Amino acid sequence: MASAKKQNTPAAARRAKLEEARRKERARERRNRIITISASVAVVAALVAGGGYLMSTADKQDQAEEKAKSSPVQGERSWDKLTQNHVEKPVDYPMNPPVGGDHNPVWMNCDADVYTEAIPNENAVHSLEHGAVWVTYNDKAQPADIKKLADRVAKTPYSLMSPVKDQDAPLILSAWGKQVTVKSATDARVAQFFTKYVQGPQTPEPGAACTGGIAK
């Protein structure tokens, strides 16, 4: 009887509650550790998977860029042995828009410059000599195509855009010695032409400035 009474004392009850609280706390700590470890594993797995995806995406982009640079642009026209003399007079170019030849000593600014009015051919050709891509359009071009191409140029250093009213096709892309007529702004050759010829191997003066020239 004395033993039973001793076990039912307030002190024994407090010890029992304390022990139960400690047991629950240990169980809670174990659960928290399991949750933390599981979450950490999930995060690491996600990072590994995400890193692998990003690396795969980057590799695919690099491969696509290399293919664009190494593959010929369908329908492209080329001119060789273009002169590069600086002249102060108008030049009668054999193609429109011109893709090279004698040109003005000062270039048109081509640091993602979009011109809404015609620009002098002689200055634009100097920009091509520096490695710029020149996008031109006439009155038959669709406004949506003009806007989309202007957006691309506005994001691309070493490119410029302007209207050429008397050109034969609505949309033409030119680089030094290179030119292609495209059907629309979504024509796959637009992206390829930019990738291949913005500061591309055709550039007579790679790295020359596209700022500090004429800004119309």
Side-chain angles (χ1 to χ4, degrees), residues 77-88:
R77 290 167 290 173
S78 297
W79 290 264
D80 298 322
K81 298 179 181 179
L82 296 167
T83 58
Q84 295 176 243
N85 300 310
H86 287 180
V87 296
E88 298 282 357

Side-chain angles (χ1 to χ4, degrees), residues 13 28 118 156 158 180:
R28 184 162 50 250
T156 309
Y158 284 94
V180 66

Side-chain angles (χ1 to χ4, degrees), residues 137-148 170-171 183-184:
Y137 59 95
N138 65 18
D139 295 341
K140 295 181 181 179
Q142 296 297 315
D145 288 327
I146 295 173
K147 183 181 185 308
K148 192 173 185 67
L171 300 170
K183 298 176 181 178
S184 70

Side-chain angles (χ1 to χ4, degrees), residues 59-102:
D59 288 342
K60 289 179 180 178
Q61 289 175 341
D62 289 342
Q63 291 172 6
E65 185 172 320
E66 287 305 316
K67 183 177 180 180
K69 288 180 178 180
S70 61
S71 301
V73 179
Q74 186 177 4
E76 174 189 276
R77 290 167 290 173
S78 297
W79 290 264
D80 298 322
K81 298 179 181 179
L82 296 167
T83 58
Q84 295 176 243
N85 300 310
H86 287 180
V87 296
E88 298 282 357
K89 59 183 181 180
V91 178
D92 183 17
Y93 294 103
M95 74 292 289
N96 186 38
V99 298
D102 293 350

Side-chain angles (χ1 to χ4, degrees), residues 60-204:
K60 289 179 180 178
Q61 289 175 341
D62 289 342
Q63 291 172 6
E65 185 172 320
E66 287 305 316
K67 183 177 180 180
K69 288 180 178 180
S70 61
S71 301
V73 179
Q74 186 177 4
E76 174 189 276
R77 290 167 290 173
S78 297
W79 290 264
D80 298 322
K81 298 179 181 179
L82 296 167
T83 58
Q84 295 176 243
N85 300 310
H86 287 180
V87 296
E88 298 282 357
K89 59 183 181 180
V91 178
D92 183 17
Y93 294 103
M95 74 292 289
N96 186 38
V99 298
D102 293 350
H103 50 269
N104 191 275
V106 184
W107 56 90
M108 289 298 302
N109 283 345
C110 46
D111 188 27
D113 289 279
V114 177
Y115 301 99
T116 57
E117 297 180 359
I119 60 178
N121 284 338
E122 293 77 14
N123 302 100
V125 169
H126 197 155
S127 301
L128 301 187
E129 185 183 43
H130 289 191
V133 163
W134 183 18
V135 178
T136 56
Y137 59 95
N138 65 18
D139 295 341
K140 295 181 181 179
Q142 296 297 315
D145 288 327
I146 295 173
K147 183 181 185 308
K148 192 173 185 67
L149 288 169
D151 289 342
R152 177 182 283 274
V153 169
K155 297 175 183 176
T156 309
Y158 284 94
S159 72
L160 70 163
M161 180 174 179
S162 70
V164 175
K165 188 174 182 179
D166 58 347
Q167 68 181 29
D168 291 336
L171 300 170
I172 296 177
L173 276 62
S174 303
W176 183 270
K178 306 292 181 180
Q179 190 170 87
V180 66
T181 297
V182 295
K183 298 176 181 178
S184 70
T186 57
D187 190 317
R189 293 174 297 170
V190 172
Q192 184 185 7
F193 200 90
F194 270 76
T195 299
K196 193 176 180 76
Y197 294 128
V198 169
Q199 282 284 284
Q202 86 294 341
T203 305

Side-chain angles (χ1 to χ4, degrees), residues 13-23:
R14 285 197 297 271
R15 283 196 299 273
K17 288 182 179 180
L18 181 59
E19 184 60 32
E20 178 65 15
R22 288 173 177 171
R23 186 187 66 78

